[in-house]
Amino acid sequence: MNSDVAAVEKVLQVYFDGLYEGDTKKLGEAFHPASHLYSAGSDGKAADLPRAEWFKAVESRPSAKSKGSARADRIVSIDFSGPATAIAKVECQIPPRYFTDYLTLLKVDGRWQVISKSFHTVTKDA
């Protein structure tokens, strides 16, 4: 199990790096091709964003790194429900947006990847 914890932590670090750098190649390593992102929209309805659409958004905006933003990535918890299923709660930021993410991970073909991300965002003025 310790090797699985380390493997999930490594995936989460790749996610943090990809998000901070705006690097969809790194995000593609962390996120399964079939992955989706979910959130509650401002209209109170569920928003579903496939990975490919998210990558387009990431590529179209300046990265936090390019703006010199500070990093504040944190793994809050990792919970395993079996040998191939885990959920991680993480916190990260792309100022002025601050995220709490729930990442569901699956171990497929011997490799951990994020299959879904549910998130909450808070926007703070500088």
Side-chain angles (χ1 to χ4, degrees):
M1 184 63 88
N2 285 341
S3 63
D4 283 321
V5 171
V8 167
E9 287 174 341
K10 184 177 178 182
V11 170
L12 298 176
Q13 187 60 53
V14 171
Y15 166 58
F16 291 147
D17 292 345
L19 193 64
Y20 180 72
E21 297 166 13
D23 186 336
T24 55
K25 184 172 188 256
K26 287 182 180 177
L27 293 172
E29 291 174 30
F31 281 72
H32 189 278
S35 61
H36 284 244
L37 287 71
Y38 302 97
S39 63
S42 58
D43 59 2
K45 298 190 185 305
D48 175 358
L49 188 65
R51 183 181 97 151
E53 289 182 36
W54 178 46
F55 283 7
K56 287 178 190 172
V58 169
E59 291 167 347
S60 71
R61 67 183 182 220
S63 70
K65 181 179 181 179
S66 72
K67 295 191 292 187
S69 298
R71 289 183 74 164
D73 310 323
R74 181 169 87 99
I75 298 171
V76 177
S77 63
I78 301 172
D79 183 39
F80 292 86
S81 60
T85 309
I87 189 164
K89 179 180 179 182
V90 302
E91 296 174 344
C92 49
Q93 64 185 31
I94 304 174
R97 294 176 296 146
Y98 297 80
F99 299 90
T100 301
D101 299 339
Y102 293 90
L103 306 172
T104 303
L105 298 98
L106 298 177
K107 189 175 187 180
V108 180
D109 297 325
R111 182 172 168 235
W112 286 99
Q113 283 190 298
V114 177
I115 194 67
S116 71
K117 170 181 168 176
S118 296
F119 64 96
H120 173 72
T121 307
V122 174
T123 302
K124 299 178 184 176
D125 294 327

